[in-house]
Amino acid sequence: MFRVSDLFVIAYDDVATAGQVRDRLFELSKEHLVELEDAVVVERHQDGRIKLHQAVNHTAVGAAGGALWGGVIGLLFLAPLLGAAVGAAAGAAGGAFTDTGIDDNFMKDLSQNLRPGAAALFVLVKKAADDKVIPQLTPYGGQLVQTSLSTTDEEHLREAIAAAREGEAGTQTPPA
C-alpha cells in the first residue's frame, strides 16, 4: 500500500527534550534532509491532563491572512480598516476550526499511556534521508512507541536506531 507520509511517535522523559528534538527536525528540514508534514509535542501534565504543543497556530495564521485580504478588499470599497478588522475576525474563526496533519484526538488518546510529566513527539514525515537524520536524533534518547511503517520497515528502523546508538557509545551529548 502506498503512503504519502509516515507517522512516528517517540516518547521522552520530559517536554523539554521532545521540544529539542522537534526543533532539531525543523533545522534538518531547512537543510533538506527531512520533509515534515506535521510535528507536535504532546505533554502529559502531573494531574493527567494532555496538552498539545502544535508547531502552527492556525488561529493566528488565519487572522493574519484574513486581515491582509480584508484590507485589500476594504481598499476596493474605501474602508480598509473595517475590511481588515472583518477579515481578521473571519480568518481567526476559520483558522480555529482548521486542523491539518495528525489528528488531535488520536494524539490525545495515545498520550494517555504516557506517565505524568512525560511527553511524546508525533511526527508526520513525507520523506527523509534516514542515514543522516537518525544519527542526529539518537543522542536525545527516547523510545519509539508507534509508526505507520510495515513490520519489516519498522524493524529496520529499530535496527538503524540501535546501530546509531552503539556507534555513539554514549560519548556524545545532545547539541544545545
Side-chain angles (χ1 to χ4, degrees):
M1 178 179 205
F2 178 74
R3 287 186 306 272
V4 175
S5 299
D6 287 310
L7 174 70
F8 300 91
V9 181
I10 306 105
Y12 294 95
D13 289 335
D14 56 67
V15 70
T17 304
Q20 289 174 341
V21 174
R22 182 175 67 178
D23 291 345
R24 184 67 186 125
L25 280 169
F26 289 154
E27 291 170 11
L28 293 170
S29 177
K30 290 177 186 174
E31 297 172 21
H32 304 286
L33 295 176
V34 64
E35 188 176 340
L36 302 173
E37 188 171 329
D38 199 6
V40 180
V41 173
V42 181
E43 173 184 16
R44 183 158 190 216
H45 290 277
Q46 293 296 336
D47 63 7
R49 289 181 301 118
I50 302 294
K51 177 166 175 68
L52 304 181
H53 299 272
Q54 302 276 1
V56 176
N57 182 340
H58 294 289
T59 302
V61 170
L68 175 68
W69 284 109
V72 170
I73 292 168
L75 282 173
L76 295 174
F77 297 103
L78 302 176
L81 293 179
L82 178 61
V86 170
F97 294 109
T98 301
D99 188 19
T100 58
I102 307 166
D103 181 69
D104 290 358
N105 290 327
F106 169 75
M107 290 187 286
K108 289 177 181 177
D109 290 345
L110 190 60
S111 297
Q112 292 296 329
N113 297 322
L114 292 172
R115 67 168 175 69
L121 177 61
F122 289 71
V123 184
L124 204 52
V125 177
K126 288 184 180 180
K127 62 181 180 178
D130 298 346
D131 61 327
K132 295 182 179 177
V133 173
I134 292 171
Q136 293 290 318
L137 302 181
T138 53
Y140 295 95
Q143 177 183 354
L144 187 62
V145 175
Q146 184 169 338
T147 75
S148 62
L149 298 173
S150 69
T151 304
T152 303
D153 288 345
E154 184 171 327
E155 186 57 36
H156 288 142
L157 175 62
R158 291 182 187 279
E159 289 169 3
I161 292 169
R165 286 184 176 155
E166 288 173 13
E168 71 188 31
T171 58
Q172 282 186 331
T173 56

mmCIF file of all heavy atoms in Angstrom, residues 126-171:
data_model
loop_
_atom_site.group_PDB
_atom_site.id
_atom_site.type_symbol
_atom_site.label_atom_id
_atom_site.label_comp_id
_atom_site.label_asym_id
_atom_site.label_seq_id
_atom_site.Cartn_x
_atom_site.Cartn_y
_atom_site.Cartn_z
ATOM 1 N N LYS A 126 7.149 13.201 5.290
ATOM 2 C CA LYS A 126 6.917 12.907 3.871
ATOM 3 C C LYS A 126 8.078 12.109 3.307
ATOM 4 O O LYS A 126 7.888 11.121 2.625
ATOM 5 C CB LYS A 126 6.736 14.196 3.071
ATOM 6 C CG LYS A 126 5.424 14.884 3.331
ATOM 7 C CD LYS A 126 5.277 16.095 2.436
ATOM 8 C CE LYS A 126 3.959 16.797 2.701
ATOM 9 N NZ LYS A 126 3.799 17.970 1.831
ATOM 10 N N LYS A 127 9.300 12.572 3.573
ATOM 11 C CA LYS A 127 10.492 11.830 3.154
ATOM 12 C C LYS A 127 11.667 12.287 4.007
ATOM 13 O O LYS A 127 11.652 13.369 4.577
ATOM 14 C CB LYS A 127 10.779 12.021 1.667
ATOM 15 C CG LYS A 127 11.071 13.439 1.248
ATOM 16 C CD LYS A 127 11.314 13.505 -0.252
ATOM 17 C CE LYS A 127 11.599 14.945 -0.665
ATOM 18 N NZ LYS A 127 11.891 15.060 -2.081
ATOM 19 N N ALA A 128 12.685 11.410 4.077
ATOM 20 C CA ALA A 128 13.848 11.713 4.904
ATOM 21 C C ALA A 128 15.058 10.943 4.409
ATOM 22 O O ALA A 128 14.921 9.852 3.850
ATOM 23 C CB ALA A 128 13.573 11.357 6.365
ATOM 24 N N ALA A 129 16.217 11.525 4.634
ATOM 25 C CA ALA A 129 17.482 10.835 4.410
ATOM 26 C C ALA A 129 17.812 10.125 5.724
ATOM 27 O O ALA A 129 18.505 10.671 6.579
ATOM 28 C CB ALA A 129 18.568 11.834 4.020
ATOM 29 N N ASP A 130 17.262 8.920 5.882
ATOM 30 C CA ASP A 130 17.366 8.191 7.153
ATOM 31 C C ASP A 130 18.793 8.094 7.675
ATOM 32 O O ASP A 130 19.039 8.253 8.865
ATOM 33 C CB ASP A 130 16.796 6.776 7.007
ATOM 34 C CG ASP A 130 15.321 6.768 6.659
ATOM 35 O OD1 ASP A 130 14.675 7.821 6.782
ATOM 36 O OD2 ASP A 130 14.829 5.704 6.262
ATOM 37 N N ASP A 131 19.735 7.829 6.775
ATOM 38 C CA ASP A 131 21.120 7.639 7.199
ATOM 39 C C ASP A 131 21.737 8.917 7.760
ATOM 40 O O ASP A 131 22.739 8.863 8.476
ATOM 41 C CB ASP A 131 21.969 7.105 6.035
ATOM 42 C CG ASP A 131 22.003 8.055 4.847
ATOM 43 O OD1 ASP A 131 20.991 8.746 4.592
ATOM 44 O OD2 ASP A 131 23.040 8.105 4.160
ATOM 45 N N LYS A 132 21.126 10.072 7.489
ATOM 46 C CA LYS A 132 21.643 11.330 8.029
ATOM 47 C C LYS A 132 20.790 11.857 9.174
ATOM 48 O O LYS A 132 21.301 12.533 10.063
ATOM 49 C CB LYS A 132 21.723 12.370 6.909
ATOM 50 C CG LYS A 132 22.740 11.975 5.859
ATOM 51 C CD LYS A 132 22.868 13.011 4.777
ATOM 52 C CE LYS A 132 23.929 12.524 3.780
ATOM 53 N NZ LYS A 132 24.083 13.413 2.661
ATOM 54 N N VAL A 133 19.507 11.546 9.167
ATOM 55 C CA VAL A 133 18.603 12.062 10.198
ATOM 56 C C VAL A 133 18.703 11.259 11.496
ATOM 57 O O VAL A 133 18.805 11.827 12.580
ATOM 58 C CB VAL A 133 17.147 12.089 9.680
ATOM 59 C CG1 VAL A 133 16.178 12.466 10.789
ATOM 60 C CG2 VAL A 133 17.024 13.057 8.506
ATOM 61 N N ILE A 134 18.683 9.944 11.395
ATOM 62 C CA ILE A 134 18.689 9.099 12.600
ATOM 63 C C ILE A 134 19.889 9.395 13.508
ATOM 64 O O ILE A 134 19.703 9.584 14.713
ATOM 65 C CB ILE A 134 18.599 7.605 12.226
ATOM 66 C CG1 ILE A 134 17.212 7.315 11.639
ATOM 67 C CG2 ILE A 134 18.862 6.704 13.432
ATOM 68 C CD1 ILE A 134 17.059 5.936 11.036
ATOM 69 N N PRO A 135 21.119 9.480 12.988
ATOM 70 C CA PRO A 135 22.243 9.791 13.888
ATOM 71 C C PRO A 135 22.139 11.167 14.554
ATOM 72 O O PRO A 135 22.687 11.376 15.631
ATOM 73 C CB PRO A 135 23.464 9.738 12.963
ATOM 74 C CG PRO A 135 23.046 8.892 11.812
ATOM 75 C CD PRO A 135 21.584 9.159 11.634
ATOM 76 N N GLN A 136 21.405 12.095 13.938
ATOM 77 C CA GLN A 136 21.232 13.418 14.531
ATOM 78 C C GLN A 136 20.249 13.398 15.704
ATOM 79 O O GLN A 136 20.297 14.269 16.563
ATOM 80 C CB GLN A 136 20.715 14.399 13.467
ATOM 81 C CG GLN A 136 21.693 14.688 12.362
ATOM 82 C CD GLN A 136 22.867 15.505 12.856
ATOM 83 O OE1 GLN A 136 22.709 16.442 13.623
ATOM 84 N NE2 GLN A 136 24.062 15.125 12.423
ATOM 85 N N LEU A 137 19.363 12.409 15.730
ATOM 86 C CA LEU A 137 18.316 12.372 16.751
ATOM 87 C C LEU A 137 18.573 11.380 17.883
ATOM 88 O O LEU A 137 18.023 11.531 18.968
ATOM 89 C CB LEU A 137 16.964 12.049 16.095
ATOM 90 C CG LEU A 137 16.510 13.016 15.001
ATOM 91 C CD1 LEU A 137 15.154 12.594 14.460
ATOM 92 C CD2 LEU A 137 16.478 14.448 15.499
ATOM 93 N N THR A 138 19.409 10.374 17.642
ATOM 94 C CA THR A 138 19.632 9.356 18.678
ATOM 95 C C THR A 138 20.261 9.886 19.966
ATOM 96 O O THR A 138 19.972 9.343 21.035
ATOM 97 C CB THR A 138 20.470 8.173 18.142
ATOM 98 O OG1 THR A 138 21.666 8.672 17.551
ATOM 99 C CG2 THR A 138 19.682 7.374 17.133
ATOM 100 N N PRO A 139 21.086 10.949 19.941
ATOM 101 C CA PRO A 139 21.638 11.426 21.214
ATOM 102 C C PRO A 139 20.582 11.905 22.217
ATOM 103 O O PRO A 139 20.846 11.976 23.408
ATOM 104 C CB PRO A 139 22.550 12.585 20.807
ATOM 105 C CG PRO A 139 22.925 12.310 19.395
ATOM 106 C CD PRO A 139 21.708 11.646 18.804
ATOM 107 N N TYR A 140 19.393 12.199 21.742
ATOM 108 C CA TYR A 140 18.331 12.673 22.631
ATOM 109 C C TYR A 140 17.617 11.545 23.354
ATOM 110 O O TYR A 140 16.802 11.794 24.246
ATOM 111 C CB TYR A 140 17.300 13.478 21.826
ATOM 112 C CG TYR A 140 17.858 14.751 21.241
ATOM 113 C CD1 TYR A 140 18.338 14.774 19.933
ATOM 114 C CD2 TYR A 140 17.905 15.925 21.977
ATOM 115 C CE1 TYR A 140 18.848 15.939 19.380
ATOM 116 C CE2 TYR A 140 18.413 17.093 21.435
ATOM 117 C CZ TYR A 140 18.882 17.091 20.133
ATOM 118 O OH TYR A 140 19.390 18.246 19.589
ATOM 119 N N GLY A 141 17.879 10.310 22.955
ATOM 120 C CA GLY A 141 17.210 9.172 23.590
ATOM 121 C C GLY A 141 15.796 9.033 23.067
ATOM 122 O O GLY A 141 15.530 9.270 21.896
ATOM 123 N N GLY A 142 14.904 8.659 23.948
ATOM 124 C CA GLY A 142 13.512 8.468 23.553
ATOM 125 C C GLY A 142 13.239 7.023 23.204
ATOM 126 O O GLY A 142 14.144 6.218 23.010
ATOM 127 N N GLN A 143 11.954 6.707 23.168
ATOM 128 C CA GLN A 143 11.520 5.348 22.856
ATOM 129 C C GLN A 143 10.504 5.415 21.730
ATOM 130 O O GLN A 143 9.501 6.117 21.829
ATOM 131 C CB GLN A 143 10.897 4.704 24.090
ATOM 132 C CG GLN A 143 10.366 3.313 23.824
ATOM 133 C CD GLN A 143 9.672 2.718 25.040
ATOM 134 O OE1 GLN A 143 9.668 3.284 26.114
ATOM 135 N NE2 GLN A 143 9.058 1.574 24.846
ATOM 136 N N LEU A 144 10.780 4.674 20.665
ATOM 137 C CA LEU A 144 9.856 4.608 19.537
ATOM 138 C C LEU A 144 8.608 3.864 19.998
ATOM 139 O O LEU A 144 8.671 2.695 20.355
ATOM 140 C CB LEU A 144 10.522 3.894 18.358
ATOM 141 C CG LEU A 144 9.766 3.883 17.044
ATOM 142 C CD1 LEU A 144 9.566 5.298 16.521
ATOM 143 C CD2 LEU A 144 10.515 3.044 16.016
ATOM 144 N N VAL A 145 7.472 4.558 20.005
ATOM 145 C CA VAL A 145 6.231 3.990 20.518
ATOM 146 C C VAL A 145 5.395 3.397 19.397
ATOM 147 O O VAL A 145 4.852 2.303 19.531
ATOM 148 C CB VAL A 145 5.405 5.072 21.256
ATOM 149 C CG1 VAL A 145 4.059 4.544 21.704
ATOM 150 C CG2 VAL A 145 6.183 5.632 22.430
ATOM 151 N N GLN A 146 5.283 4.123 18.296
ATOM 152 C CA GLN A 146 4.412 3.672 17.222
ATOM 153 C C GLN A 146 4.882 4.280 15.906
ATOM 154 O O GLN A 146 5.417 5.382 15.868
ATOM 155 C CB GLN A 146 2.977 4.110 17.504
ATOM 156 C CG GLN A 146 1.977 3.614 16.483
ATOM 157 C CD GLN A 146 0.546 3.839 16.936
ATOM 158 O OE1 GLN A 146 0.269 3.981 18.118
ATOM 159 N NE2 GLN A 146 -0.358 3.851 15.993
ATOM 160 N N THR A 147 4.674 3.546 14.819
ATOM 161 C CA THR A 147 4.924 4.058 13.481
ATOM 162 C C THR A 147 3.815 3.559 12.563
ATOM 163 O O THR A 147 3.056 2.658 12.919
ATOM 164 C CB THR A 147 6.275 3.575 12.886
ATOM 165 O OG1 THR A 147 6.146 2.219 12.484
ATOM 166 C CG2 THR A 147 7.424 3.740 13.857
ATOM 167 N N SER A 148 3.755 4.134 11.378
ATOM 168 C CA SER A 148 2.822 3.640 10.359
ATOM 169 C C SER A 148 3.566 2.770 9.346
ATOM 170 O O SER A 148 3.016 2.394 8.325
ATOM 171 C CB SER A 148 2.142 4.812 9.648
ATOM 172 O OG SER A 148 3.107 5.601 8.979
ATOM 173 N N LEU A 149 4.810 2.429 9.655
ATOM 174 C CA LEU A 149 5.616 1.605 8.763
ATOM 175 C C LEU A 149 5.142 0.157 8.785
ATOM 176 O O LEU A 149 4.508 -0.286 9.748
ATOM 177 C CB LEU A 149 7.087 1.642 9.196
ATOM 178 C CG LEU A 149 7.788 2.995 9.174
ATOM 179 C CD1 LEU A 149 9.179 2.870 9.793
ATOM 180 C CD2 LEU A 149 7.870 3.547 7.768
ATOM 181 N N SER A 150 5.519 -0.580 7.767
ATOM 182 C CA SER A 150 5.260 -2.018 7.790
ATOM 183 C C SER A 150 6.110 -2.633 8.904
ATOM 184 O O SER A 150 7.068 -2.022 9.383
ATOM 185 C CB SER A 150 5.639 -2.639 6.442
ATOM 186 O OG SER A 150 7.048 -2.601 6.266
ATOM 187 N N THR A 151 5.771 -3.833 9.307
ATOM 188 C CA THR A 151 6.524 -4.510 10.368
ATOM 189 C C THR A 151 7.997 -4.631 9.986
ATOM 190 O O THR A 151 8.878 -4.383 10.809
ATOM 191 C CB THR A 151 5.921 -5.903 10.637
ATOM 192 O OG1 THR A 151 4.533 -5.736 10.954
ATOM 193 C CG2 THR A 151 6.627 -6.599 11.774
ATOM 194 N N THR A 152 8.269 -4.985 8.737
ATOM 195 C CA THR A 152 9.654 -5.138 8.270
ATOM 196 C C THR A 152 10.388 -3.807 8.301
ATOM 197 O O THR A 152 11.516 -3.723 8.790
ATOM 198 C CB THR A 152 9.670 -5.712 6.836
ATOM 199 O OG1 THR A 152 8.958 -6.949 6.842
ATOM 200 C CG2 THR A 152 11.085 -5.926 6.347
ATOM 201 N N ASP A 153 9.756 -2.747 7.778
ATOM 202 C CA ASP A 153 10.400 -1.433 7.764
ATOM 203 C C ASP A 153 10.611 -0.901 9.177
ATOM 204 O O ASP A 153 11.632 -0.279 9.473
ATOM 205 C CB ASP A 153 9.568 -0.438 6.947
ATOM 206 C CG ASP A 153 9.632 -0.707 5.457
ATOM 207 O OD1 ASP A 153 10.524 -1.465 5.027
ATOM 208 O OD2 ASP A 153 8.789 -0.147 4.720
ATOM 209 N N GLU A 154 9.652 -1.166 10.076
ATOM 210 C CA GLU A 154 9.811 -0.709 11.455
ATOM 211 C C GLU A 154 10.984 -1.441 12.120
ATOM 212 O O GLU A 154 11.759 -0.842 12.867
ATOM 213 C CB GLU A 154 8.527 -0.928 12.255
ATOM 214 C CG GLU A 154 8.628 -0.366 13.662
ATOM 215 C CD GLU A 154 7.304 -0.383 14.410
ATOM 216 O OE1 GLU A 154 6.249 -0.212 13.778
ATOM 217 O OE2 GLU A 154 7.356 -0.548 15.649
ATOM 218 N N GLU A 155 11.131 -2.726 11.842
ATOM 219 C CA GLU A 155 12.260 -3.480 12.401
ATOM 220 C C GLU A 155 13.586 -2.930 11.879
ATOM 221 O O GLU A 155 14.547 -2.787 12.640
ATOM 222 C CB GLU A 155 12.121 -4.968 12.070
ATOM 223 C CG GLU A 155 13.165 -5.833 12.743
ATOM 224 C CD GLU A 155 13.184 -5.705 14.263
ATOM 225 O OE1 GLU A 155 12.118 -5.556 14.887
ATOM 226 O OE2 GLU A 155 14.298 -5.734 14.834
ATOM 227 N N HIS A 156 13.637 -2.594 10.589
ATOM 228 C CA HIS A 156 14.858 -1.994 10.024
ATOM 229 C C HIS A 156 15.155 -0.652 10.689
ATOM 230 O O HIS A 156 16.316 -0.333 10.954
ATOM 231 C CB HIS A 156 14.735 -1.820 8.510
ATOM 232 C CG HIS A 156 14.797 -3.105 7.759
ATOM 233 N ND1 HIS A 156 14.016 -3.346 6.658
ATOM 234 C CD2 HIS A 156 15.524 -4.233 7.946
ATOM 235 C CE1 HIS A 156 14.260 -4.563 6.197
ATOM 236 N NE2 HIS A 156 15.160 -5.123 6.978
ATOM 237 N N LEU A 157 14.115 0.127 10.950
ATOM 238 C CA LEU A 157 14.299 1.414 11.633
ATOM 239 C C LEU A 157 14.860 1.191 13.037
ATOM 240 O O LEU A 157 15.805 1.873 13.444
ATOM 241 C CB LEU A 157 12.972 2.174 11.704
ATOM 242 C CG LEU A 157 12.999 3.478 12.509
ATOM 243 C CD1 LEU A 157 13.963 4.483 11.897
ATOM 244 C CD2 LEU A 157 11.594 4.061 12.615
ATOM 245 N N ARG A 158 14.290 0.245 13.767
ATOM 246 C CA ARG A 158 14.782 -0.030 15.127
ATOM 247 C C ARG A 158 16.240 -0.498 15.100
ATOM 248 O O ARG A 158 17.039 -0.129 15.963
ATOM 249 C CB ARG A 158 13.884 -1.057 15.820
ATOM 250 C CG ARG A 158 12.503 -0.521 16.152
ATOM 251 C CD ARG A 158 11.636 -1.551 16.887
ATOM 252 N NE ARG A 158 10.278 -1.103 17.062
ATOM 253 C CZ ARG A 158 9.856 -0.269 18.022
ATOM 254 N NH1 ARG A 158 10.718 0.190 18.900
ATOM 255 N NH2 ARG A 158 8.588 0.088 18.091
ATOM 256 N N GLU A 159 16.602 -1.285 14.090
ATOM 257 C CA GLU A 159 18.000 -1.726 13.944
ATOM 258 C C GLU A 159 18.909 -0.536 13.639
ATOM 259 O O GLU A 159 20.020 -0.444 14.177
ATOM 260 C CB GLU A 159 18.108 -2.775 12.832
ATOM 261 C CG GLU A 159 17.490 -4.106 13.192
ATOM 262 C CD GLU A 159 17.360 -5.059 12.008
ATOM 263 O OE1 GLU A 159 17.805 -4.700 10.889
ATOM 264 O OE2 GLU A 159 16.811 -6.157 12.197
ATOM 265 N N ALA A 160 18.459 0.378 12.789
ATOM 266 C CA ALA A 160 19.258 1.563 12.458
ATOM 267 C C ALA A 160 19.450 2.452 13.680
ATOM 268 O O ALA A 160 20.540 2.996 13.905
ATOM 269 C CB ALA A 160 18.599 2.348 11.326
ATOM 270 N N ILE A 161 18.398 2.591 14.496
ATOM 271 C CA ILE A 161 18.500 3.380 15.726
ATOM 272 C C ILE A 161 19.490 2.730 16.684
ATOM 273 O O ILE A 161 20.350 3.400 17.268
ATOM 274 C CB ILE A 161 17.114 3.549 16.387
ATOM 275 C CG1 ILE A 161 16.221 4.426 15.515
ATOM 276 C CG2 ILE A 161 17.242 4.115 17.790
ATOM 277 C CD1 ILE A 161 14.758 4.436 15.937
ATOM 278 N N ALA A 162 19.388 1.411 16.847
ATOM 279 C CA ALA A 162 20.305 0.691 17.745
ATOM 280 C C ALA A 162 21.745 0.825 17.264
ATOM 281 O O ALA A 162 22.659 1.055 18.065
ATOM 282 C CB ALA A 162 19.901 -0.776 17.837
ATOM 283 N N ALA A 163 21.965 0.719 15.956
ATOM 284 C CA ALA A 163 23.316 0.843 15.410
ATOM 285 C C ALA A 163 23.863 2.242 15.628
ATOM 286 O O ALA A 163 25.040 2.418 15.976
ATOM 287 C CB ALA A 163 23.312 0.502 13.918
ATOM 288 N N ALA A 164 23.019 3.263 15.456
ATOM 289 C CA ALA A 164 23.466 4.642 15.671
ATOM 290 C C ALA A 164 23.810 4.876 17.135
ATOM 291 O O ALA A 164 24.807 5.534 17.459
ATOM 292 C CB ALA A 164 22.397 5.621 15.209
ATOM 293 N N ARG A 165 23.031 4.278 18.037
ATOM 294 C CA ARG A 165 23.304 4.437 19.474
ATOM 295 C C ARG A 165 24.594 3.713 19.861
ATOM 296 O O ARG A 165 25.359 4.209 20.668
ATOM 297 C CB ARG A 165 22.129 3.928 20.304
ATOM 298 C CG ARG A 165 20.955 4.873 20.260
ATOM 299 C CD ARG A 165 19.829 4.425 21.138
ATOM 300 N NE ARG A 165 18.777 5.438 21.122
ATOM 301 C CZ ARG A 165 17.509 5.202 21.367
ATOM 302 N NH1 ARG A 165 17.117 3.982 21.685
ATOM 303 N NH2 ARG A 165 16.636 6.162 21.327
ATOM 304 N N GLU A 166 24.811 2.538 19.283
ATOM 305 C CA GLU A 166 26.053 1.809 19.560
ATOM 306 C C GLU A 166 27.255 2.578 19.019
ATOM 307 O O GLU A 166 28.310 2.603 19.631
ATOM 308 C CB GLU A 166 26.006 0.419 18.944
ATOM 309 C CG GLU A 166 25.075 -0.530 19.663
ATOM 310 C CD GLU A 166 24.916 -1.860 18.944
ATOM 311 O OE1 GLU A 166 25.708 -2.148 18.021
ATOM 312 O OE2 GLU A 166 23.996 -2.614 19.303
ATOM 313 N N GLY A 167 27.083 3.199 17.873
ATOM 314 C CA GLY A 167 28.159 3.960 17.243
ATOM 315 C C GLY A 167 28.592 5.154 18.064
ATOM 316 O O GLY A 167 29.758 5.510 18.114
ATOM 317 N N GLU A 168 27.631 5.772 18.741
ATOM 318 C CA GLU A 168 27.989 6.926 19.564
ATOM 319 C C GLU A 168 28.468 6.488 20.938
ATOM 320 O O GLU A 168 29.190 7.228 21.604
ATOM 321 C CB GLU A 168 26.814 7.899 19.671
ATOM 322 C CG GLU A 168 25.681 7.389 20.518
ATOM 323 C CD GLU A 168 24.472 8.275 20.462
ATOM 324 O OE1 GLU A 168 24.226 8.923 19.439
ATOM 325 O OE2 GLU A 168 23.745 8.297 21.466
ATOM 326 N N ALA A 169 28.052 5.296 21.375
ATOM 327 C CA ALA A 169 28.507 4.672 22.628
ATOM 328 C C ALA A 169 28.489 5.626 23.807
ATOM 329 O O ALA A 169 29.364 5.614 24.661
ATOM 330 C CB ALA A 169 29.891 4.072 22.448
ATOM 331 N N GLY A 170 27.484 6.498 23.830
ATOM 332 C CA GLY A 170 27.330 7.383 24.981
ATOM 333 C C GLY A 170 28.358 8.484 25.083
ATOM 334 O O GLY A 170 28.437 9.160 26.098
ATOM 335 N N THR A 171 29.191 8.669 24.054
ATOM 336 C CA THR A 171 30.227 9.697 24.140
ATOM 337 C C THR A 171 29.718 11.058 23.733
ATOM 338 O O THR A 171 30.336 12.061 24.060
ATOM 339 C CB THR A 171 31.424 9.338 23.235
ATOM 340 O OG1 THR A 171 30.968 9.193 21.897
ATOM 341 C CG2 THR A 171 32.075 8.071 23.721
#
